[in-house]
């Protein structure tokens, strides 16, 4: 192109604006910059306190109910030490993970919106696949664990009313299978609601429910300690004689998994960090402060619940503080607590399972793009002017998933064993290994440097804990199966 032609082209491409037009364009651009972040999404408004609230809501859940039992296995010396150790490891690895929210520059680098996005941005193919499989395996395990926990709470409501009528020494046998089926039927229907996890009120309800039952458990423990006239329990945990020496070892290992499960939230940390407003300061700095606040608050709350439950019952601390019937009265308060657990778990089940549902449905759409069974949306009228988009594959696949997890729950309805195993398999890979590996790549930590060696030693130590606690949980399942008849 000749110089004259270039000038003509520039004349048409860059028409001079009048001062008024230039002022209007500047104001529009400024307005747009106020509404949107650097990635084109609506401006984020989160801060230290909103992020802390999100983390506390995510962490405090049904895992808190097993902490009195975990304390019973570990005792007054090892119990607090182990809780503090897990809280420190969780905070430290979460801080490492926070540095991986942006790739490259911590202020202007590309954002990673999910845990898997961060893994894909920093690690190679095989590690990404392993991380994905572990995430989805963890989701299946959580679905099973939530089904068991919800059915146990429903059974506890039935039994507490029975004990209130006939007395604490009466026999109130209740089969948990019908309640698991009820929970499964509810989840089949809820799983068909599109984007259930995006409902704005869901996290508010979950927060209210989790604090309700946790606070009731704590209050009942304090009252029981006052009635006992002092603290129960031993420095070294449950005594030999109450259980055999080998059972005590397995229980100690299982207790590690129970505590790990109570602290498992790393998988959603990146999503929470994605709500924080743009720099300065960097999202990583804000998230580290939020993590410190939330882990400190959570640890204090966990210690109170675990300590008071153990102090109230000593060697007889139940596996689930609100369903093991250490408490019988006031029965209506127990009913409220267990109802809160069920409501919380009904929603939490869907929130945790949505990523797996979406993954399988996207994979099926890619594998069979021309299949009407997989891709066709059938418009089903549900009210005047509104309709529901029914997809046959979504209906079938989600229903089958819920049915399978419900049947497995009926086969293995062991709360502490399942919680311990879930905590074990999720702790090392998702809370420790991948955050450390991503941090090493992100910050270019030199191999065999002091920092690199320390990080690898931390990862290896947590791997040993994971293997040991998983073994303890499996031993617990094997022991329980000796006296349990499936579906009975």
């Amino acid at each position: 192109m000749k110089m004259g032609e270039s000038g003509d082209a520039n004349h048409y491409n860059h028409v001079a604006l009048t001062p008024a037009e230039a002022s209007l364009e500047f104001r529009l651009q400024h307005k747009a910059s106020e509404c949107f972040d650097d990635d084109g999404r609506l401006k984020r408004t989160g801060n230290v306190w909103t992020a802390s609230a999100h983390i506390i809501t995510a962490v405090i859940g049904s895992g808190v109910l097993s902490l009195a039992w975990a304390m019973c296995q570990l005792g007054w010396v090892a119990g607090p030490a182990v809780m503090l150790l897990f809280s420190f490891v969780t905070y430290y690895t979460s801080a490492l993970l926070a540095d991986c929210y942006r790739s490259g520059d911590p202020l202007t680098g590309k954002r990673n919106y999910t845990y898997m996005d961060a893994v894909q941005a920093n690690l190679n193919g095989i590690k990404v696949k392993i991380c994905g499989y572990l995430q989805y395996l963890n989701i299946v395990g959580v679905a099973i664990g939530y089904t068991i926990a919800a059915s146990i709470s429903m059974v506890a409501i039935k039994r507490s009313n029975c004990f209130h009528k006939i007395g604490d020494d009466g026999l109130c046998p209740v089969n948990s299978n019908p309640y698991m089926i009820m929970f499964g039927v509810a989840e089949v229907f809820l799983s068909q609601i599109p984007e259930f996890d995006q409902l704005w009120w869901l996290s508010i309800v979950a927060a209210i429910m989790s604090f309700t039952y946790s606070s009731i458990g704590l209050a009942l423990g304090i009252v029981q300690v006052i009635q006992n006239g002092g603290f129960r329990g031993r420095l070294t945990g449950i005594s030999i004689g109450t259980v055999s020496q080998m059972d005590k070892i397995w229980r100690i290992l299982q207790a590690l998994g129970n505590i790990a499960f109570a602290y498992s939230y790393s998988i959603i940390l990146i999503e929470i960090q994605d709500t924080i407003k743009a720099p300065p300061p960097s999202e990583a700095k804000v998230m580290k402060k939020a993590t410190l606040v939330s882990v400190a608050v959570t640890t204090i709350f966990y210690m109170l619940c675990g300590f008071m439950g153990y102090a109230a019952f000593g060697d007889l601390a139940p596996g689930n503080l609100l369903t093991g019937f250490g408490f019988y009265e006031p029965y209506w308060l127990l009913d409220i607590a267990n109802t809160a657990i069920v409501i919380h778990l009904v929603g939490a089940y869907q929130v945790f399972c949505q990523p797996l549902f979406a993954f399988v449905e996207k994979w099926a759409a890619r594998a069979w793009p021309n299949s009407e069974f997989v891709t066709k949306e059938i418009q089903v009228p549900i009210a005047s002017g509104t309709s529901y988009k029914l997809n046959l594959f979504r209906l079938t696949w989600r229903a089958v998933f819920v049915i399978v997890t419900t049947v497995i729950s009926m086969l293995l309805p062991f709360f502490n064993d399942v919680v311990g195993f879930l905590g074990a398999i999720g702790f090392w890979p998702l809370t420790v290994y991948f955050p450390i590996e991503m941090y090493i790549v992100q910050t270019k930590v030199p191999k065999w440097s002091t920092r690199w060696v320390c990080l690898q030693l931390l990862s290896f130590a947590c791997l040993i804990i994971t293997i040991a606690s998983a073994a303890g949980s499996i031993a617990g399942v094997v022991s329980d199966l000796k006296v349990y008849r499936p579906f009975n």
Side-chain angles (χ1 to χ4, degrees):
M1 182 180 289
K2 296 179 182 178
M3 187 177 293
E5 293 172 354
S6 176
D8 292 339
N10 286 333
H11 171 74
Y12 289 109
N13 288 336
H14 304 285
V15 177
L17 299 175
T18 65
E21 290 173 332
S23 176
L24 176 62
E25 183 179 8
F26 174 79
R27 288 199 302 272
L28 289 173
Q29 290 175 348
H30 181 68
K31 187 70 175 175
S33 67
E34 288 181 345
C35 297
F36 298 96
D37 276 330
D38 54 5
D39 59 348
R41 297 193 177 188
L42 285 174
K43 212 161 191 68
R44 297 157 177 86
T45 58
N47 53 40
V48 170
W49 304 113
T50 59
S52 299
H54 283 313
I55 295 172
I56 291 170
T57 301
V59 175
I60 295 179
S62 58
V64 71
L65 301 174
S66 65
L67 293 178
W69 182 88
M71 277 290 299
C72 175
Q73 314 315 312
L74 297 167
W76 286 115
V77 176
V82 169
M83 279 198 193
L84 288 173
L85 176 65
F86 273 98
S87 66
F88 170 76
V89 171
T90 300
Y91 165 70
Y92 183 71
T93 56
S94 296
L96 299 183
L97 185 57
D99 283 328
C100 302
Y101 171 65
R102 285 185 183 266
S103 298
D105 190 276
L107 296 177
T108 60
K110 179 181 175 295
R111 297 173 187 264
N112 297 306
Y113 301 113
T114 66
Y115 189 97
M116 276 302 297
D117 287 346
V119 173
Q120 290 171 338
N122 290 284
L123 303 178
N124 60 34
I126 186 64
K127 289 182 180 179
V128 172
K129 288 183 178 179
I130 291 172
C131 181
Y133 291 140
L134 284 170
Q135 269 192 284
Y136 298 133
L137 177 63
N138 189 55
I139 289 171
V140 174
V142 166
I144 294 168
Y146 282 1
T147 303
I148 295 170
S151 68
I152 289 174
S153 289
M154 287 187 275
V155 166
I157 294 171
K158 179 78 172 177
R159 293 188 71 200
S160 69
N161 295 335
C162 173
F163 286 131
H164 178 69
K165 289 179 181 178
I166 68 174
D168 298 351
D169 297 328
L171 293 176
C172 293
V174 181
N175 189 341
S176 65
N177 289 338
Y179 296 96
M180 289 192 187
I181 293 170
M182 287 170 54
F183 184 82
V185 170
E187 295 301 342
V188 167
F189 282 101
L190 292 175
S191 68
Q192 302 305 316
I193 298 176
E195 297 184 342
F196 184 89
D197 58 324
Q198 300 300 318
L199 297 176
W200 65 268
W201 47 264
L202 200 61
S203 62
I204 298 172
V205 172
I208 294 171
M209 294 300 108
S210 60
F211 276 105
T212 296
Y213 64 73
S214 301
S215 300
I216 290 174
L218 174 59
L220 289 174
I222 293 171
V223 170
Q224 187 68 43
V225 169
I226 294 171
Q227 288 180 350
N228 294 342
F231 281 37
R232 293 181 180 177
R234 301 167 180 269
L235 292 178
T236 56
I238 192 167
S239 57
I240 304 296
T242 305
V243 295
S244 68
Q245 187 166 0
M246 183 54 68
D247 280 344
K248 181 175 173 66
I249 293 172
W250 291 127
R251 282 170 169 242
I252 288 172
L253 298 179
Q254 189 179 328
L256 299 178
N258 278 249
I259 295 173
F261 180 79
Y263 276 104
S264 58
Y265 79 97
S266 294
I267 205 72
I268 59 168
L269 186 141
I270 295 290
E271 283 90 334
I272 293 173
Q273 191 167 344
D274 192 45
T275 66
I276 297 172
K277 63 184 177 183
S282 71
E283 296 94 346
K285 286 184 178 180
V286 175
M287 195 63 188
K288 288 174 184 178
K289 291 178 182 177
T291 301
L292 180 61
V293 170
S294 56
V295 170
V297 170
T298 302
T299 300
I300 292 170
F301 190 73
Y302 278 1
M303 284 189 164
L304 286 172
C305 291
F307 290 3
M308 288 302 155
Y310 182 41
F313 300 109
D315 284 358
L316 300 178
N320 183 320
L321 191 60
L322 291 172
T323 64
F325 287 93
F327 306 112
Y328 290 90
E329 296 290 345
Y331 79 100
W332 55 268
L333 191 59
L334 287 171
D335 289 354
I336 290 173
N338 282 300
T339 301
I341 293 172
V342 174
I343 294 171
H344 182 202
L345 295 180
V346 164
Y349 183 105
Q350 291 301 320
V351 171
F352 270 90
C353 292
Q354 287 300 317
L356 178 58
F357 290 159
F359 169 76
V360 171
E361 286 155 18
K362 287 177 182 176
W363 169 81
R366 288 196 304 268
W368 300 287
N370 299 320
S371 170
E372 289 192 356
F373 177 76
V374 174
T375 60
K376 186 177 180 180
E377 300 279 356
I378 303 170
Q379 299 288 340
V380 180
I382 56 176
S384 58
T386 59
S387 62
Y388 171 74
K389 293 181 180 179
L390 175 66
N391 177 273
L392 293 178
F393 178 77
R394 181 174 64 230
L395 174 66
T396 306
W397 139 244
R398 295 190 181 194
V400 168
F401 174 85
V402 174
I403 291 168
V404 170
T405 55
T406 302
V407 170
I408 295 173
S409 302
M410 294 164 69
L411 286 169
L412 302 170
F414 314 126
F415 178 74
N416 291 97
D417 301 331
V418 171
V419 166
F421 186 72
L422 290 175
I425 63 172
F427 176 65
W428 175 72
L430 300 176
T431 301
V432 179
Y433 175 75
F434 284 110
I436 285 177
E437 292 299 306
M438 287 190 283
Y439 176 80
I440 288 173
V441 172
Q442 173 85 357
T443 58
K444 298 179 174 61
V445 178
K447 197 170 185 178
W448 300 113
S449 65
T450 302
R451 187 168 182 75
W452 185 90
V453 170
C454 290
L455 289 170
Q456 297 299 335
L457 286 175
L458 173 62
S459 180
F460 180 73
C462 292
L463 172 61
I464 298 300
I465 292 173
T466 283
I467 293 171
S469 56
S473 298
I474 292 170
V477 170
V478 171
S479 177
D480 289 336
L481 285 174
K482 291 178 181 177
V483 294
Y484 172 73
R485 287 181 295 168
F487 303 110
N488 189 351

